[in-house]
Each structure stands twice: as C-alpha cells, then as structure tokens.
Amino acid sequence: MGLVLTDRSEPGTQNYSKPQFCKGFTLPKSPAADVLLLTLNLYPLQIIFSDGIKLYMALRGVWQLRKLVVSYCNWGGSSRGIRAFMESELPALKEKNPHLEVVTELNRGQHPFLKGLYKNKNERVVCVKNLSQDEVLEAATKLRNSLGRKVVKLKTRHVTKQPSVQGTWSTALEL
C-alpha cells in the first residue's frame, strides 16, 4: 500500500509513491507495516498505522531531542528494569537514532530517571523507578518523539485571536 499524503491547506487527497518533500526520509520498521496516512503540517509529521498507533516524528524534519541521559544505580532494586533496558534495548535505540547522543550516568543509591535535553534548551525528566524494560523503552521513545515544549495551561476552552463578545457558538443555542 502506498502512502497517502494530505496537505491540510488544500482540500482533497493526492497519492504519491515517493514523497519529494523529504529526501532521505525512511519510515521506521514497525509490526504494522502499512501506513494509512501521512499528514503534512507545519508541526510534526504524523504517521497513523492501521492498528491506530500514532507516531510523531520531528519539527520541520529536524529531531528535537539532542541528548538522552540515562541515570541508574548499579545495585538498587528500583533500577532493575533500567539495567535490563541498558543491556538489551539501549544499543538498538542508539543504532536506530544516530542523531541522538546517549549518555549513561551511574548514581549510586538514587532512583533511576531519563532526562531529555532538547534543541530549544528545554529538558524533561522522567522517573523510571520500578518500571520494566519495556516501560523504560516506551518512556525513552516518548522523550524522543516529543518536541520539548513546555506545557501551557489554557485559560479558556476556546482559543482564538479575535474573541467574540457574544460568546462561543454551539449547536445547543435556542433562538
């Protein structure tokens, strides 16, 4: 099955066999090999697989995670999962992501964590205390796929540049 590329600025869908907007772009190996939709946007590329898994890639084709710091204890019980992750999954993660600098830190007597350092000078820290190696891999993948932006709490449910004096329109209005 070919890729279906949709540009949100233009109505309609166009089919391409090889997208010309991203030279050298290769899809990751996945159990769900058939890609249903590749959405182009100013923000991350979004790939939706047939089993509903969404994969956010990079901002304008540039990976935002610059450095991944893996901190662990070599004897603590809460670091058991991250030690197994480092033995089995970390080499493959390094190989799949050559743009990513991976650093391991030994912190004796401390709980394990993953720290992501992003290109926009932000950092995210994820505690992986008592997690299995699969859950640690999932946390590392989420750090890699995120943009590193700070979470902003919205003041209202409806965000617009030109707010209405009359309020937000809904179908439940009675006239």
Side-chain angles (χ1 to χ4, degrees), residues 125-162:
V125 179
V126 177
C127 179
V128 290
K129 175 175 73 169
N130 296 325
L131 296 182
S132 67
Q133 82 181 46
D134 295 333
E135 293 169 332
V136 174
L137 177 63
E138 184 179 329
T141 305
K142 283 182 181 178
L143 281 175
R144 184 203 61 189
N145 292 343
S146 67
L147 295 177
R149 294 179 177 160
K150 296 290 184 183
V151 177
V152 178
K153 184 177 179 182
L154 300 176
K155 295 178 183 173
T156 61
R157 290 185 335 167
H158 186 252
V159 179
T160 181
K161 292 181 180 176
Q162 298 174 345

PDB file of all heavy atoms in Angstrom, residues 125-162:
ATOM      1  N   VAL A 125      12.477  15.448  32.469  1.00  0.00           N
ATOM      2  CA  VAL A 125      12.975  14.360  33.298  1.00  0.00           C
ATOM      3  C   VAL A 125      11.816  13.409  33.559  1.00  0.00           C
ATOM      4  O   VAL A 125      10.733  13.834  33.965  1.00  0.00           O
ATOM      5  CB  VAL A 125      13.552  14.883  34.622  1.00  0.00           C
ATOM      6  CG1 VAL A 125      14.043  13.738  35.488  1.00  0.00           C
ATOM      7  CG2 VAL A 125      14.677  15.872  34.359  1.00  0.00           C
ATOM      8  N   VAL A 126      12.045  12.108  33.323  1.00  0.00           N
ATOM      9  CA  VAL A 126      11.029  11.089  33.542  1.00  0.00           C
ATOM     10  C   VAL A 126      11.578  10.080  34.537  1.00  0.00           C
ATOM     11  O   VAL A 126      12.647   9.504  34.323  1.00  0.00           O
ATOM     12  CB  VAL A 126      10.661  10.375  32.215  1.00  0.00           C
ATOM     13  CG1 VAL A 126       9.668   9.265  32.456  1.00  0.00           C
ATOM     14  CG2 VAL A 126      10.153  11.360  31.210  1.00  0.00           C
ATOM     15  N   CYS A 127      10.850   9.873  35.631  1.00  0.00           N
ATOM     16  CA  CYS A 127      11.241   8.883  36.629  1.00  0.00           C
ATOM     17  C   CYS A 127      10.869   7.502  36.122  1.00  0.00           C
ATOM     18  O   CYS A 127       9.739   7.272  35.690  1.00  0.00           O
ATOM     19  CB  CYS A 127      10.539   9.177  37.957  1.00  0.00           C
ATOM     20  SG  CYS A 127      10.935   7.978  39.233  1.00  0.00           S
ATOM     21  N   VAL A 128      11.804   6.572  36.149  1.00  0.00           N
ATOM     22  CA  VAL A 128      11.549   5.208  35.702  1.00  0.00           C
ATOM     23  C   VAL A 128      11.763   4.220  36.841  1.00  0.00           C
ATOM     24  O   VAL A 128      12.157   3.077  36.623  1.00  0.00           O
ATOM     25  CB  VAL A 128      12.423   4.853  34.472  1.00  0.00           C
ATOM     26  CG1 VAL A 128      11.963   5.613  33.250  1.00  0.00           C
ATOM     27  CG2 VAL A 128      13.882   5.113  34.737  1.00  0.00           C
ATOM     28  N   LYS A 129      11.459   4.650  38.043  1.00  0.00           N
ATOM     29  CA  LYS A 129      11.619   3.816  39.236  1.00  0.00           C
ATOM     30  C   LYS A 129      10.659   2.634  39.170  1.00  0.00           C
ATOM     31  O   LYS A 129       9.463   2.796  38.929  1.00  0.00           O
ATOM     32  CB  LYS A 129      11.329   4.669  40.470  1.00  0.00           C
ATOM     33  CG  LYS A 129      11.343   3.919  41.773  1.00  0.00           C
ATOM     34  CD  LYS A 129      11.159   4.849  42.950  1.00  0.00           C
ATOM     35  CE  LYS A 129       9.738   5.328  43.023  1.00  0.00           C
ATOM     36  NZ  LYS A 129       9.435   6.020  44.267  1.00  0.00           N
ATOM     37  N   ASN A 130      11.197   1.423  39.353  1.00  0.00           N
ATOM     38  CA  ASN A 130      10.441   0.163  39.391  1.00  0.00           C
ATOM     39  C   ASN A 130       9.670  -0.138  38.105  1.00  0.00           C
ATOM     40  O   ASN A 130       8.669  -0.837  38.140  1.00  0.00           O
ATOM     41  CB  ASN A 130       9.472   0.138  40.579  1.00  0.00           C
ATOM     42  CG  ASN A 130      10.192   0.167  41.900  1.00  0.00           C
ATOM     43  OD1 ASN A 130      11.267  -0.407  42.045  1.00  0.00           O
ATOM     44  ND2 ASN A 130       9.624   0.864  42.862  1.00  0.00           N
ATOM     45  N   LEU A 131      10.120   0.373  36.972  1.00  0.00           N
ATOM     46  CA  LEU A 131       9.476   0.068  35.705  1.00  0.00           C
ATOM     47  C   LEU A 131      10.199  -1.086  35.016  1.00  0.00           C
ATOM     48  O   LEU A 131      11.400  -1.285  35.202  1.00  0.00           O
ATOM     49  CB  LEU A 131       9.473   1.287  34.784  1.00  0.00           C
ATOM     50  CG  LEU A 131       8.688   2.503  35.245  1.00  0.00           C
ATOM     51  CD1 LEU A 131       8.741   3.599  34.194  1.00  0.00           C
ATOM     52  CD2 LEU A 131       7.252   2.147  35.557  1.00  0.00           C
ATOM     53  N   SER A 132       9.461  -1.826  34.187  1.00  0.00           N
ATOM     54  CA  SER A 132      10.072  -2.915  33.429  1.00  0.00           C
ATOM     55  C   SER A 132      10.861  -2.330  32.255  1.00  0.00           C
ATOM     56  O   SER A 132      10.747  -1.148  31.937  1.00  0.00           O
ATOM     57  CB  SER A 132       8.995  -3.870  32.918  1.00  0.00           C
ATOM     58  OG  SER A 132       8.202  -3.228  31.955  1.00  0.00           O
ATOM     59  N   GLN A 133      11.626  -3.187  31.581  1.00  0.00           N
ATOM     60  CA  GLN A 133      12.451  -2.687  30.483  1.00  0.00           C
ATOM     61  C   GLN A 133      11.597  -2.212  29.318  1.00  0.00           C
ATOM     62  O   GLN A 133      11.976  -1.275  28.610  1.00  0.00           O
ATOM     63  CB  GLN A 133      13.463  -3.720  30.041  1.00  0.00           C
ATOM     64  CG  GLN A 133      12.961  -4.778  29.097  1.00  0.00           C
ATOM     65  CD  GLN A 133      14.045  -5.761  28.752  1.00  0.00           C
ATOM     66  OE1 GLN A 133      14.761  -6.248  29.615  1.00  0.00           O
ATOM     67  NE2 GLN A 133      14.165  -6.073  27.490  1.00  0.00           N
ATOM     68  N   ASP A 134      10.433  -2.812  29.100  1.00  0.00           N
ATOM     69  CA  ASP A 134       9.543  -2.353  28.031  1.00  0.00           C
ATOM     70  C   ASP A 134       8.968  -0.983  28.349  1.00  0.00           C
ATOM     71  O   ASP A 134       8.830  -0.132  27.466  1.00  0.00           O
ATOM     72  CB  ASP A 134       8.413  -3.347  27.812  1.00  0.00           C
ATOM     73  CG  ASP A 134       8.921  -4.690  27.306  1.00  0.00           C
ATOM     74  OD1 ASP A 134       9.988  -4.698  26.653  1.00  0.00           O
ATOM     75  OD2 ASP A 134       8.257  -5.714  27.568  1.00  0.00           O
ATOM     76  N   GLU A 135       8.623  -0.751  29.615  1.00  0.00           N
ATOM     77  CA  GLU A 135       8.099   0.551  30.016  1.00  0.00           C
ATOM     78  C   GLU A 135       9.175   1.629  29.949  1.00  0.00           C
ATOM     79  O   GLU A 135       8.883   2.777  29.619  1.00  0.00           O
ATOM     80  CB  GLU A 135       7.509   0.463  31.425  1.00  0.00           C
ATOM     81  CG  GLU A 135       6.279  -0.409  31.501  1.00  0.00           C
ATOM     82  CD  GLU A 135       5.846  -0.703  32.929  1.00  0.00           C
ATOM     83  OE1 GLU A 135       6.704  -0.719  33.837  1.00  0.00           O
ATOM     84  OE2 GLU A 135       4.644  -0.930  33.127  1.00  0.00           O
ATOM     85  N   VAL A 136      10.422   1.263  30.240  1.00  0.00           N
ATOM     86  CA  VAL A 136      11.531   2.216  30.117  1.00  0.00           C
ATOM     87  C   VAL A 136      11.759   2.565  28.651  1.00  0.00           C
ATOM     88  O   VAL A 136      11.983   3.728  28.299  1.00  0.00           O
ATOM     89  CB  VAL A 136      12.821   1.655  30.761  1.00  0.00           C
ATOM     90  CG1 VAL A 136      14.003   2.566  30.502  1.00  0.00           C
ATOM     91  CG2 VAL A 136      12.630   1.464  32.251  1.00  0.00           C
ATOM     92  N   LEU A 137      11.663   1.561  27.765  1.00  0.00           N
ATOM     93  CA  LEU A 137      11.800   1.817  26.333  1.00  0.00           C
ATOM     94  C   LEU A 137      10.686   2.728  25.845  1.00  0.00           C
ATOM     95  O   LEU A 137      10.920   3.640  25.048  1.00  0.00           O
ATOM     96  CB  LEU A 137      11.786   0.502  25.549  1.00  0.00           C
ATOM     97  CG  LEU A 137      11.848   0.627  24.037  1.00  0.00           C
ATOM     98  CD1 LEU A 137      13.153   1.276  23.600  1.00  0.00           C
ATOM     99  CD2 LEU A 137      11.673  -0.731  23.387  1.00  0.00           C
ATOM    100  N   GLU A 138       9.479   2.520  26.337  1.00  0.00           N
ATOM    101  CA  GLU A 138       8.356   3.383  25.973  1.00  0.00           C
ATOM    102  C   GLU A 138       8.580   4.819  26.440  1.00  0.00           C
ATOM    103  O   GLU A 138       8.307   5.773  25.706  1.00  0.00           O
ATOM    104  CB  GLU A 138       7.065   2.832  26.569  1.00  0.00           C
ATOM    105  CG  GLU A 138       5.834   3.594  26.185  1.00  0.00           C
ATOM    106  CD  GLU A 138       4.584   2.980  26.801  1.00  0.00           C
ATOM    107  OE1 GLU A 138       4.547   1.755  27.006  1.00  0.00           O
ATOM    108  OE2 GLU A 138       3.644   3.742  27.067  1.00  0.00           O
ATOM    109  N   ALA A 139       9.109   4.988  27.659  1.00  0.00           N
ATOM    110  CA  ALA A 139       9.392   6.333  28.171  1.00  0.00           C
ATOM    111  C   ALA A 139      10.478   7.015  27.349  1.00  0.00           C
ATOM    112  O   ALA A 139      10.382   8.207  27.037  1.00  0.00           O
ATOM    113  CB  ALA A 139       9.806   6.256  29.634  1.00  0.00           C
ATOM    114  N   ALA A 140      11.515   6.268  26.958  1.00  0.00           N
ATOM    115  CA  ALA A 140      12.590   6.834  26.133  1.00  0.00           C
ATOM    116  C   ALA A 140      12.065   7.206  24.750  1.00  0.00           C
ATOM    117  O   ALA A 140      12.437   8.246  24.195  1.00  0.00           O
ATOM    118  CB  ALA A 140      13.741   5.840  26.012  1.00  0.00           C
ATOM    119  N   THR A 141      11.170   6.399  24.195  1.00  0.00           N
ATOM    120  CA  THR A 141      10.593   6.699  22.892  1.00  0.00           C
ATOM    121  C   THR A 141       9.703   7.933  22.959  1.00  0.00           C
ATOM    122  O   THR A 141       9.702   8.757  22.050  1.00  0.00           O
ATOM    123  CB  THR A 141       9.786   5.486  22.382  1.00  0.00           C
ATOM    124  OG1 THR A 141      10.643   4.345  22.394  1.00  0.00           O
ATOM    125  CG2 THR A 141       9.283   5.715  20.979  1.00  0.00           C
ATOM    126  N   LYS A 142       8.954   8.086  24.044  1.00  0.00           N
ATOM    127  CA  LYS A 142       8.126   9.279  24.207  1.00  0.00           C
ATOM    128  C   LYS A 142       8.985  10.534  24.318  1.00  0.00           C
ATOM    129  O   LYS A 142       8.631  11.586  23.793  1.00  0.00           O
ATOM    130  CB  LYS A 142       7.235   9.147  25.439  1.00  0.00           C
ATOM    131  CG  LYS A 142       6.049   8.250  25.225  1.00  0.00           C
ATOM    132  CD  LYS A 142       5.173   8.196  26.457  1.00  0.00           C
ATOM    133  CE  LYS A 142       4.001   7.273  26.232  1.00  0.00           C
ATOM    134  NZ  LYS A 142       3.150   7.166  27.432  1.00  0.00           N
ATOM    135  N   LEU A 143      10.119  10.431  25.010  1.00  0.00           N
ATOM    136  CA  LEU A 143      11.029  11.577  25.082  1.00  0.00           C
ATOM    137  C   LEU A 143      11.574  11.911  23.699  1.00  0.00           C
ATOM    138  O   LEU A 143      11.682  13.078  23.333  1.00  0.00           O
ATOM    139  CB  LEU A 143      12.185  11.289  26.039  1.00  0.00           C
ATOM    140  CG  LEU A 143      11.907  11.414  27.524  1.00  0.00           C
ATOM    141  CD1 LEU A 143      13.125  10.988  28.321  1.00  0.00           C
ATOM    142  CD2 LEU A 143      11.514  12.828  27.884  1.00  0.00           C
ATOM    143  N   ARG A 144      11.929  10.884  22.932  1.00  0.00           N
ATOM    144  CA  ARG A 144      12.460  11.122  21.593  1.00  0.00           C
ATOM    145  C   ARG A 144      11.430  11.751  20.672  1.00  0.00           C
ATOM    146  O   ARG A 144      11.731  12.635  19.887  1.00  0.00           O
ATOM    147  CB  ARG A 144      12.944   9.810  20.981  1.00  0.00           C
ATOM    148  CG  ARG A 144      13.604  10.030  19.626  1.00  0.00           C
ATOM    149  CD  ARG A 144      13.614   8.833  18.768  1.00  0.00           C
ATOM    150  NE  ARG A 144      12.256   8.395  18.478  1.00  0.00           N
ATOM    151  CZ  ARG A 144      11.981   7.259  17.875  1.00  0.00           C
ATOM    152  NH1 ARG A 144      12.931   6.439  17.531  1.00  0.00           N
ATOM    153  NH2 ARG A 144      10.737   6.914  17.640  1.00  0.00           N
ATOM    154  N   ASN A 145      10.179  11.327  20.779  1.00  0.00           N
ATOM    155  CA  ASN A 145       9.141  11.794  19.875  1.00  0.00           C
ATOM    156  C   ASN A 145       8.552  13.142  20.269  1.00  0.00           C
ATOM    157  O   ASN A 145       7.877  13.762  19.467  1.00  0.00           O
ATOM    158  CB  ASN A 145       8.007  10.772  19.792  1.00  0.00           C
ATOM    159  CG  ASN A 145       8.443   9.511  19.100  1.00  0.00           C
ATOM    160  OD1 ASN A 145       9.448   9.484  18.411  1.00  0.00           O
ATOM    161  ND2 ASN A 145       7.702   8.461  19.305  1.00  0.00           N
ATOM    162  N   SER A 146       8.774  13.593  21.482  1.00  0.00           N
ATOM    163  CA  SER A 146       8.180  14.863  21.907  1.00  0.00           C
ATOM    164  C   SER A 146       9.028  16.033  21.407  1.00  0.00           C
ATOM    165  O   SER A 146      10.199  15.882  21.066  1.00  0.00           O
ATOM    166  CB  SER A 146       8.029  14.911  23.419  1.00  0.00           C
ATOM    167  OG  SER A 146       9.283  14.936  24.038  1.00  0.00           O
ATOM    168  N   LEU A 147       8.417  17.206  21.388  1.00  0.00           N
ATOM    169  CA  LEU A 147       9.074  18.389  20.861  1.00  0.00           C
ATOM    170  C   LEU A 147       9.859  19.157  21.918  1.00  0.00           C
ATOM    171  O   LEU A 147      10.601  20.062  21.587  1.00  0.00           O
ATOM    172  CB  LEU A 147       8.038  19.320  20.227  1.00  0.00           C
ATOM    173  CG  LEU A 147       7.341  18.757  18.999  1.00  0.00           C
ATOM    174  CD1 LEU A 147       6.285  19.725  18.513  1.00  0.00           C
ATOM    175  CD2 LEU A 147       8.331  18.474  17.908  1.00  0.00           C
ATOM    176  N   GLY A 148       9.657  18.845  23.170  1.00  0.00           N
ATOM    177  CA  GLY A 148      10.394  19.528  24.223  1.00  0.00           C
ATOM    178  C   GLY A 148       9.793  20.852  24.626  1.00  0.00           C
ATOM    179  O   GLY A 148      10.415  21.627  25.345  1.00  0.00           O
ATOM    180  N   ARG A 149       8.597  21.129  24.181  1.00  0.00           N
ATOM    181  CA  ARG A 149       7.951  22.384  24.548  1.00  0.00           C
ATOM    182  C   ARG A 149       7.375  22.280  25.947  1.00  0.00           C
ATOM    183  O   ARG A 149       6.979  21.207  26.394  1.00  0.00           O
ATOM    184  CB  ARG A 149       6.825  22.709  23.576  1.00  0.00           C
ATOM    185  CG  ARG A 149       7.328  22.994  22.193  1.00  0.00           C
ATOM    186  CD  ARG A 149       6.166  23.287  21.272  1.00  0.00           C
ATOM    187  NE  ARG A 149       6.652  23.635  19.948  1.00  0.00           N
ATOM    188  CZ  ARG A 149       5.922  23.576  18.876  1.00  0.00           C
ATOM    189  NH1 ARG A 149       4.667  23.200  18.943  1.00  0.00           N
ATOM    190  NH2 ARG A 149       6.433  23.898  17.708  1.00  0.00           N
ATOM    191  N   LYS A 150       7.299  23.402  26.604  1.00  0.00           N
ATOM    192  CA  LYS A 150       6.681  23.454  27.924  1.00  0.00           C
ATOM    193  C   LYS A 150       5.171  23.297  27.774  1.00  0.00           C
ATOM    194  O   LYS A 150       4.579  23.757  26.804  1.00  0.00           O
ATOM    195  CB  LYS A 150       6.978  24.782  28.627  1.00  0.00           C
ATOM    196  CG  LYS A 150       8.446  24.998  28.919  1.00  0.00           C
ATOM    197  CD  LYS A 150       8.904  24.064  30.001  1.00  0.00           C
ATOM    198  CE  LYS A 150      10.351  24.361  30.346  1.00  0.00           C
ATOM    199  NZ  LYS A 150      10.874  23.449  31.327  1.00  0.00           N
ATOM    200  N   VAL A 151       4.550  22.684  28.759  1.00  0.00           N
ATOM    201  CA  VAL A 151       3.109  22.520  28.750  1.00  0.00           C
ATOM    202  C   VAL A 151       2.488  23.826  29.223  1.00  0.00           C
ATOM    203  O   VAL A 151       2.832  24.351  30.281  1.00  0.00           O
ATOM    204  CB  VAL A 151       2.678  21.361  29.665  1.00  0.00           C
ATOM    205  CG1 VAL A 151       1.175  21.230  29.704  1.00  0.00           C
ATOM    206  CG2 VAL A 151       3.317  20.073  29.196  1.00  0.00           C
ATOM    207  N   VAL A 152       1.584  24.374  28.424  1.00  0.00           N
ATOM    208  CA  VAL A 152       0.952  25.649  28.731  1.00  0.00           C
ATOM    209  C   VAL A 152      -0.507  25.387  29.073  1.00  0.00           C
ATOM    210  O   VAL A 152      -1.241  24.765  28.297  1.00  0.00           O
ATOM    211  CB  VAL A 152       1.045  26.610  27.516  1.00  0.00           C
ATOM    212  CG1 VAL A 152       0.343  27.914  27.814  1.00  0.00           C
ATOM    213  CG2 VAL A 152       2.493  26.844  27.148  1.00  0.00           C
ATOM    214  N   LYS A 153      -0.919  25.862  30.236  1.00  0.00           N
ATOM    215  CA  LYS A 153      -2.299  25.698  30.636  1.00  0.00           C
ATOM    216  C   LYS A 153      -3.129  26.791  29.967  1.00  0.00           C
ATOM    217  O   LYS A 153      -2.821  27.974  30.062  1.00  0.00           O
ATOM    218  CB  LYS A 153      -2.432  25.811  32.151  1.00  0.00           C
ATOM    219  CG  LYS A 153      -3.829  25.563  32.638  1.00  0.00           C
ATOM    220  CD  LYS A 153      -3.909  25.603  34.148  1.00  0.00           C
ATOM    221  CE  LYS A 153      -5.333  25.374  34.593  1.00  0.00           C
ATOM    222  NZ  LYS A 153      -5.460  25.464  36.038  1.00  0.00           N
ATOM    223  N   LEU A 154      -4.193  26.367  29.293  1.00  0.00           N
ATOM    224  CA  LEU A 154      -5.048  27.316  28.601  1.00  0.00           C
ATOM    225  C   LEU A 154      -5.999  27.960  29.590  1.00  0.00           C
ATOM    226  O   LEU A 154      -6.514  27.306  30.498  1.00  0.00           O
ATOM    227  CB  LEU A 154      -5.835  26.612  27.502  1.00  0.00           C
ATOM    228  CG  LEU A 154      -4.989  25.934  26.419  1.00  0.00           C
ATOM    229  CD1 LEU A 154      -5.888  25.197  25.444  1.00  0.00           C
ATOM    230  CD2 LEU A 154      -4.139  26.947  25.697  1.00  0.00           C
ATOM    231  N   LYS A 155      -6.259  29.253  29.416  1.00  0.00           N
ATOM    232  CA  LYS A 155      -7.145  29.975  30.322  1.00  0.00           C
ATOM    233  C   LYS A 155      -8.607  29.688  30.014  1.00  0.00           C
ATOM    234  O   LYS A 155      -9.455  29.714  30.891  1.00  0.00           O
ATOM    235  CB  LYS A 155      -6.871  31.469  30.239  1.00  0.00           C
ATOM    236  CG  LYS A 155      -5.488  31.835  30.729  1.00  0.00           C
ATOM    237  CD  LYS A 155      -5.207  33.303  30.590  1.00  0.00           C
ATOM    238  CE  LYS A 155      -3.782  33.583  31.019  1.00  0.00           C
ATOM    239  NZ  LYS A 155      -3.393  34.955  30.769  1.00  0.00           N
ATOM    240  N   THR A 156      -8.906  29.448  28.759  1.00  0.00           N
ATOM    241  CA  THR A 156     -10.274  29.130  28.352  1.00  0.00           C
ATOM    242  C   THR A 156     -10.263  27.893  27.473  1.00  0.00           C
ATOM    243  O   THR A 156      -9.217  27.498  26.960  1.00  0.00           O
ATOM    244  CB  THR A 156     -10.903  30.297  27.567  1.00  0.00           C
ATOM    245  OG1 THR A 156     -10.130  30.520  26.384  1.00  0.00           O
ATOM    246  CG2 THR A 156     -10.951  31.568  28.396  1.00  0.00           C
ATOM    247  N   ARG A 157     -11.441  27.332  27.274  1.00  0.00           N
ATOM    248  CA  ARG A 157     -11.539  26.165  26.399  1.00  0.00           C
ATOM    249  C   ARG A 157     -11.390  26.547  24.944  1.00  0.00           C
ATOM    250  O   ARG A 157     -10.939  25.767  24.131  1.00  0.00           O
ATOM    251  CB  ARG A 157     -12.895  25.485  26.581  1.00  0.00           C
ATOM    252  CG  ARG A 157     -13.065  24.809  27.886  1.00  0.00           C
ATOM    253  CD  ARG A 157     -14.360  24.065  27.967  1.00  0.00           C
ATOM    254  NE  ARG A 157     -15.374  24.591  27.072  1.00  0.00           N
ATOM    255  CZ  ARG A 157     -16.487  23.983  26.780  1.00  0.00           C
ATOM    256  NH1 ARG A 157     -16.746  22.833  27.304  1.00  0.00           N
ATOM    257  NH2 ARG A 157     -17.367  24.527  25.962  1.00  0.00           N
ATOM    258  N   HIS A 158     -11.785  27.744  24.597  1.00  0.00           N
ATOM    259  CA  HIS A 158     -11.797  28.191  23.205  1.00  0.00           C
ATOM    260  C   HIS A 158     -10.708  29.235  23.010  1.00  0.00           C
ATOM    261  O   HIS A 158     -10.757  30.294  23.614  1.00  0.00           O
ATOM    262  CB  HIS A 158     -13.188  28.768  22.879  1.00  0.00           C
ATOM    263  CG  HIS A 158     -13.348  29.133  21.443  1.00  0.00           C
ATOM    264  ND1 HIS A 158     -13.399  30.428  21.016  1.00  0.00           N
ATOM    265  CD2 HIS A 158     -13.462  28.362  20.334  1.00  0.00           C
ATOM    266  CE1 HIS A 158     -13.540  30.448  19.707  1.00  0.00           C
ATOM    267  NE2 HIS A 158     -13.586  29.209  19.272  1.00  0.00           N
ATOM    268  N   VAL A 159      -9.732  28.944  22.180  1.00  0.00           N
ATOM    269  CA  VAL A 159      -8.623  29.860  21.941  1.00  0.00           C
ATOM    270  C   VAL A 159      -8.781  30.460  20.550  1.00  0.00           C
ATOM    271  O   VAL A 159      -8.888  29.729  19.562  1.00  0.00           O
ATOM    272  CB  VAL A 159      -7.271  29.133  22.050  1.00  0.00           C
ATOM    273  CG1 VAL A 159      -6.129  30.080  21.773  1.00  0.00           C
ATOM    274  CG2 VAL A 159      -7.119  28.521  23.425  1.00  0.00           C
ATOM    275  N   THR A 160      -8.794  31.777  20.463  1.00  0.00           N
ATOM    276  CA  THR A 160      -8.924  32.460  19.190  1.00  0.00           C
ATOM    277  C   THR A 160      -8.189  33.781  19.239  1.00  0.00           C
ATOM    278  O   THR A 160      -7.944  34.337  20.305  1.00  0.00           O
ATOM    279  CB  THR A 160     -10.412  32.691  18.839  1.00  0.00           C
ATOM    280  OG1 THR A 160     -10.486  33.347  17.583  1.00  0.00           O
ATOM    281  CG2 THR A 160     -11.102  33.527  19.889  1.00  0.00           C
ATOM    282  N   LYS A 161      -7.833  34.289  18.078  1.00  0.00           N
ATOM    283  CA  LYS A 161      -7.162  35.589  18.006  1.00  0.00           C
ATOM    284  C   LYS A 161      -8.151  36.740  18.123  1.00  0.00           C
ATOM    285  O   LYS A 161      -7.800  37.820  18.552  1.00  0.00           O
ATOM    286  CB  LYS A 161      -6.384  35.700  16.698  1.00  0.00           C
ATOM    287  CG  LYS A 161      -5.209  34.762  16.625  1.00  0.00           C
ATOM    288  CD  LYS A 161      -4.457  34.927  15.324  1.00  0.00           C
ATOM    289  CE  LYS A 161      -3.287  33.965  15.273  1.00  0.00           C
ATOM    290  NZ  LYS A 161      -2.582  34.022  14.011  1.00  0.00           N
ATOM    291  N   GLN A 162      -9.400  36.499  17.698  1.00  0.00           N
ATOM    292  CA  GLN A 162     -10.426  37.535  17.756  1.00  0.00           C
ATOM    293  C   GLN A 162     -11.617  36.995  18.554  1.00  0.00           C
ATOM    294  O   GLN A 162     -12.537  36.404  17.981  1.00  0.00           O
ATOM    295  CB  GLN A 162     -10.870  37.925  16.357  1.00  0.00           C
ATOM    296  CG  GLN A 162      -9.738  38.514  15.548  1.00  0.00           C
ATOM    297  CD  GLN A 162     -10.142  38.763  14.111  1.00  0.00           C
ATOM    298  OE1 GLN A 162     -11.146  38.269  13.646  1.00  0.00           O
ATOM    299  NE2 GLN A 162      -9.323  39.546  13.423  1.00  0.00           N
TER     300      GLN A 162
END
